[in-house]
C-alpha cells in the first residue's frame, strides 16, 4: 500500500510538471484551444506512462 501511494504521488507530480512545463517548451504566444488540449493530453499520457513503467 505504501509503495502504491508513493507511485501515485510521483505520478501526480509528473502530471503537474508536464502540464506547466509543456507550454514553455512549445513557446506558443497566443492562446489556442488545440495547443492547450495537446498539453493536457501529453501530460496525461506522460503520467500514465510513468505509472505503467514504474510497476
Amino acid at each position: 500500500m505504501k509503495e502504491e501511494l508513493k507511485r501515485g504521488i510521483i505520478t501526480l507530480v509528473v502530471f503537474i510538471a508536464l502540464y506547466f512545463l509543456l507550454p514553455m517548451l512549445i513557446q506558443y504566444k497566443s492562446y489556442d484551444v488545440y495547443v492547450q488540449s495537446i498539453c493536457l493530453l501529453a501530460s496525461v499520457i506522460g503520467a500514465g506512462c510513468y505509472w505503467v513503467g514504474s510497476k
Side-chain angles (χ1 to χ4, degrees), residues 30-47:
S30 63
Y31 180 80
D32 189 10
V33 175
Y34 299 118
V35 173
Q36 291 298 320
S37 63
I38 288 170
C39 288
L40 179 65
L41 288 174
S43 301
V44 168
I45 290 170

